[in-house]
Amino acid sequence: MGIEDVLYSIGEKTEETARRVLGSLRFLLFPSPSDTPPTPGPIERSIKRVLTPHELVSLRLQLGFLTYLLAGLAVVFVGSWRGYLLLTVVYFLYLRSFLIANRDFFIEYEPYRAFYLGLSVIAATAYGGYLLVRELKPKPLYFYLYLVIVSLVVFIFRYWFKSKYGRDYTYGVVEEVKNDLVRVFVHDDIAANVKPGYYWVPKVEDVKPGRVVKLLVENETLRSAKPVRIIEVYIGDQSSESETTPKDEME
């Protein structure tokens, strides 16, 4: 390879890198709703089933928040205010941009926006507060008191979220009817505290594969809720890769 080819290759890579950096900055500072559904990345492709757009954006929100929590712990351990502020600003810019860009791909947008923004604010405040308390060097009792206050705030937020957005039902798509049981696919539903997956529930009239159903859920202590029975059947076929929520009713 000649010197001209080497220089040309370096120029191409530099231009591509600059284009990606500018694209990332534009996404963070000037986000706009996307018309294109998200596509699975390496992590999502490792899951052995097809993920819907809703599941993809929900999973990425969880991974983004978890990354911030872990990175925040590392920064707090080091004790760097500059690192904490930089990390927090970048994370909130990302969170804002991600929510705006993908708002049309959530089955129900507002609960997810409120949940992750609320938890992120609590986490950011907790990290910053801990750095401040550590600088003041109070007695160990004050550190324990601070942890109690943070835990109390989390419980209050949880109560507020359940009061405003919580519900005891979710939606699913019938995948299989077997004897007196129905196998239903349910999306991740943060308002009903239901994890995505397949659930077996008792059979009802008018149910058949492809139909959307409304499911009663029951909460379990320290665990996610579980669909227990069908309370309504909607006429019209769908698949587990489509939205499971009847839009007219939600609106």
Side-chain angles (χ1 to χ4, degrees):
M1 181 181 291
I3 186 66
E4 291 184 359
D5 293 332
V6 172
L7 293 175
Y8 183 76
S9 177
I10 293 174
E12 277 190 329
K13 290 182 179 179
T14 302
E15 183 180 354
E16 182 181 355
T17 302
R19 191 183 303 115
R20 289 182 177 180
V21 170
L22 289 175
S24 298
L25 288 174
R26 190 180 301 112
F27 171 75
L28 289 176
L29 299 176
F30 308 105
S32 59
S34 174
D35 297 326
T36 306
T39 55
I43 295 178
E44 293 90 357
R45 284 196 291 269
S46 66
I47 299 176
K48 297 180 180 180
R49 66 180 179 84
V50 177
L51 296 178
T52 64
H54 170 82
E55 289 180 288
L56 280 173
V57 294
S58 176
L59 178 59
R60 288 175 184 174
L61 269 178
Q62 294 176 47
L63 292 175
F65 180 64
L66 180 61
T67 300
Y68 175 69
L69 287 181
L70 295 177
L73 282 175
V75 170
V76 166
F77 179 78
V78 173
S80 170
W81 272 104
R82 183 176 300 176
Y84 158 74
L85 291 174
L86 178 61
L87 173 66
T88 300
V89 168
V90 171
Y91 170 69
F92 274 94
L93 284 174
Y94 166 78
L95 181 61
R96 168 181 170 269
S97 301
F98 184 87
L99 288 170
I100 292 174
N102 295 283
R103 65 173 302 156
D104 293 336
F105 305 112
F106 289 95
I107 290 179
E108 196 176 359
Y109 173 70
E110 284 301 328
Y112 284 85
R113 176 178 177 274
F115 184 80
Y116 282 99
L117 277 177
L119 279 187
S120 297
V121 169
I122 292 173
T125 304
Y127 286 148
Y130 182 79
L131 286 172
L132 181 61
V133 170
R134 189 165 63 181
E135 281 189 1
L136 296 175
K137 297 180 180 179
K139 296 179 180 179
L141 176 63
Y142 289 94
F143 282 100
Y144 295 123
L145 180 60
Y146 181 73
L147 292 176
V148 170
I149 292 173
V150 172
S151 300
L152 182 61
V153 171
V154 171
F155 279 112
I156 291 174
F157 172 76
R158 182 175 180 272
Y159 175 79
W160 171 83
F161 182 83
K162 289 186 67 175
S163 299
K164 184 172 179 61
Y165 297 104
R167 43 184 166 80
D168 60 357
Y169 62 88
T170 188
Y171 297 92
V173 174
V174 176
E175 293 288 323
E176 181 183 357
V177 179
K178 188 174 183 180
N179 299 326
D180 293 329
L181 294 174
V182 178
R183 185 170 180 252
V184 181
F185 174 79
V186 177
H187 277 295
D188 170 74
D189 188 344
I190 203 169
N193 191 31
V194 174
K195 290 183 178 180
Y198 295 91
Y199 298 88
W200 288 96
V201 295
K203 180 182 176 181
V204 298
E205 292 184 4
D206 297 327
V207 70
K208 68 177 184 178
R211 286 193 171 171
V212 175
V213 293
K214 187 175 183 179
L215 299 141
L216 179 70
V217 300
E218 287 186 357
N219 286 294
E220 299 182 2
T221 305
L222 301 178
R223 298 179 63 183
S224 59
K226 181 180 179 181
V228 291
R229 65 182 177 89
I230 297 171
I231 55 178
E232 193 169 352
V233 179
Y234 298 91
I235 306 300
D237 293 344
Q238 298 202 16
S239 70
S240 61
E241 297 181 17
S242 64
E243 294 181 353
T244 61
T245 305
K247 287 291 186 182
D248 291 341
E249 174 163 330
M250 296 306 300
E251 293 172 358

